[in-house]
Amino acid sequence: MLILVDQDGVLADFHAGFERAWRAAGHAIPAIPLERRKSFSLRDDYPAEWRAAVVETFTREGFFRDLPPIPGAAHALREMLAQGHEVAICTSPLLEYQHCVSEKYAWIERHLGADFIPRVVLTRDKTLVHGDVLIDDKPVIDGLRTPDWRHILYDQPYNRTVAGPRLTWADWREKLGLG
Amino acid sequence: MLILVDQDGVLADFHAGFERAWRAAGHAIPAIPLERRKSFSLRDDYPAEWRAAVVETFTREGFFRDLPPIPGAAHALREMLAQGHEVAICTSPLLEYQHCVSEKYAWIERHLGADFIPRVVLTRDKTLVHGDVLIDDKPVIDGLRTPDWRHILYDQPYNRTVAGPRLTWADWREKLGLG
């Protein structure tokens, strides 16, 4: 199998990184806790008057570089490879690419290892990428094509209104049928 | 049609940028002129003792950002879009990603426009990307899959030992059958 794995919210804990950065900035309202997130897009969860501050927080230098890893993710990817599957990190950078793109690579090198750098695919349209499975926390993934991958949600509170197969790094083997 | 277009050697003049940077560094040997290049990989065209300096030249900050554009490229891409085709910039970053990846985006924003940023696909394995055609100066493009695109060479002196369809920004319409 060729397994495509999204980065933010699947390998890297975007939400936790945001909460930490938001707290450090000392804003007058607290960050919305993960369990109360309703939208995949963080900015949509905040009142309109806070959106500029939200975007400023995650477009700042160091934000993507310093995201904490989601426990179990690196181990799961190593195990997929050990089972003979192919793995690509398929991730959509921000349009505000200035820090995001190089820091995504730096994060992967640091948390997955330099041998994962050639496995990175950066694209805003994941339907352009071949794969058997795409593990992604985004509820609906569209683009130019009908994808050839099967979308399996990485379970997060903000995608629970969507039906369909889902997994976490605790149960991925059985969910992918790789017991 | 979904037309994938490589960046270096097709949109951005990697060779000219290298010659300029090499000259500016004042090395004891001159850069190899384009017409005498034999390998797609610049480092393979230089004697072993110069390879570290060659790599240092194109991994330095600003190298990718400052590459001159290949004349006609931006216009051709705009025309493909105007004809109703889809265009994606499909480019392989250096493993030395530190400056390369963000500067590739900055180059595209500057020379093609911000509306091309969502069209970027960064991948070391272009066989993973769907497309009808891939315009690329690299003689042989392999990867995990048998690609679904047709490879059309962007004509360069260093790929002329390879047979197969080729084009430049002077004759792309007829070569793609888009007269």
Side-chain angles (χ1 to χ4, degrees):
Chain A
M1 284 218 295
L2 170 55
I3 304 171
L4 308 177
V5 186
D6 175 38
Q7 185 169 2
D8 298 316
V10 177
L11 303 173
D13 197 336
F14 187 95
H15 182 89
F18 181 82
E19 275 194 319
R20 185 172 61 190
W22 187 262
R23 204 180 312 120
H27 290 300
I29 64 163
I32 295 170
L34 181 60
E35 297 301 323
R36 292 210 344 252
R37 291 270 309 279
K38 291 194 167 60
S39 305
F40 168 76
S41 168
L42 196 69
R43 60 188 110 185
D44 295 339
D45 269 347
Y46 283 75
E49 63 269 31
W50 284 99
R51 281 182 201 155
V54 167
V55 172
E56 200 280 321
T57 300
F58 63 64
T59 53
R60 204 180 300 170
E61 183 174 355
F63 178 80
F64 282 91
R65 184 190 63 215
D66 294 338
L67 292 178
I70 292 184
H75 182 73
L77 266 48
R78 292 265 164 222
E79 205 166 306
M80 290 171 188
L81 293 174
Q83 289 188 14
H85 301 291
E86 283 296 342
V87 174
I89 315 299
C90 187
T91 177
S92 293
L94 299 179
L95 291 177
E96 301 91 341
Y97 61 81
Q98 287 75 6
H99 305 301
C100 173
V101 295
S102 60
E103 293 187 10
K104 275 178 168 289
Y105 281 80
W107 190 96
I108 287 164
E109 183 171 34
R110 177 176 169 196
H111 292 284
L112 301 179
D115 54 324
F116 273 86
I117 292 293
R119 296 182 181 277
V120 178
V121 181
L122 250 69
T123 179
R124 298 274 300 182
D125 184 344
K126 296 185 184 183
T127 71
L128 299 186
V129 184
H130 283 286
D132 295 296
V133 163
L134 168 65
I135 300 171
D136 203 306
D137 62 325
K138 189 172 182 177
V140 176
I141 301 174
D142 47 25
L144 285 175
R145 297 184 72 263
T146 303
D148 54 12
W149 35 256
R150 192 162 45 102
H151 178 196
I152 301 187
L153 280 165
Y154 189 86
D155 182 58
Q156 291 283 9
Y158 46 78
N159 64 31
R160 286 186 191 146
T161 53
V162 173
R166 57 182 63 234
L167 57 69
T168 70
W169 297 128
D171 64 9
W172 65 274
R173 282 183 210 78
E174 53 174 301
K175 295 301 179 67
L176 290 181
L178 302 177
Chain B
M1 285 215 296
L2 170 55
I3 304 171
L4 309 177
V5 185
D6 176 37
Q7 186 168 5
D8 298 317
V10 177
L11 303 174
D13 197 336
F14 187 95
H15 181 89
F18 181 82
E19 274 194 321
R20 185 173 59 190
W22 187 261
R23 204 180 312 118
H27 289 300
I29 64 164
I32 294 171
L34 180 60
E35 297 301 324
R36 292 208 347 252
R37 290 267 312 276
K38 290 193 168 61
S39 306
F40 168 76
S41 168
L42 196 69
R43 59 188 111 186
D44 295 340
D45 269 347
Y46 282 76
E49 63 269 30
W50 285 99
R51 281 182 200 154
V54 166
V55 172
E56 201 280 321
T57 300
F58 63 65
T59 53
R60 203 180 301 169
E61 184 175 355
F63 178 81
F64 282 92
R65 185 191 62 215
D66 295 337
L67 291 178
I70 292 184
H75 182 74
L77 266 50
R78 291 265 163 223
E79 206 167 305
M80 290 172 190
L81 292 174
Q83 288 188 13
H85 301 290
E86 284 295 342
V87 174
I89 315 299
C90 186
T91 177
S92 294
L94 299 179
L95 291 177
E96 300 91 341
Y97 61 81
Q98 287 75 6
H99 305 300
C100 174
V101 295
S102 60
E103 293 187 9
K104 275 177 168 292
Y105 280 81
W107 191 96
I108 287 164
E109 184 172 32
R110 178 175 168 197
H111 293 285
L112 301 179
D115 54 324
F116 273 85
I117 292 293
R119 297 182 181 277
V120 178
V121 181
L122 249 67
T123 178
R124 299 273 301 181
D125 184 344
K126 296 185 183 182
T127 71
L128 298 186
V129 184
H130 284 286
D132 295 297
V133 163
L134 168 65
I135 300 171
D136 203 305
D137 63 325
K138 190 174 182 178
V140 177
I141 301 175
D142 47 24
L144 285 175
R145 296 185 72 262
T146 302
D148 54 14
W149 35 256
R150 191 163 44 102
H151 179 195
I152 300 187
L153 280 165
Y154 188 86
D155 183 56
Q156 291 283 8
Y158 47 79
N159 64 31
R160 286 183 191 150
T161 52
V162 174
R166 60 182 62 234
L167 58 69
T168 70
W169 298 127
D171 64 9
W172 65 275
R173 284 182 209 78
E174 52 172 303
K175 294 303 178 67
L176 290 180
L178 303 177

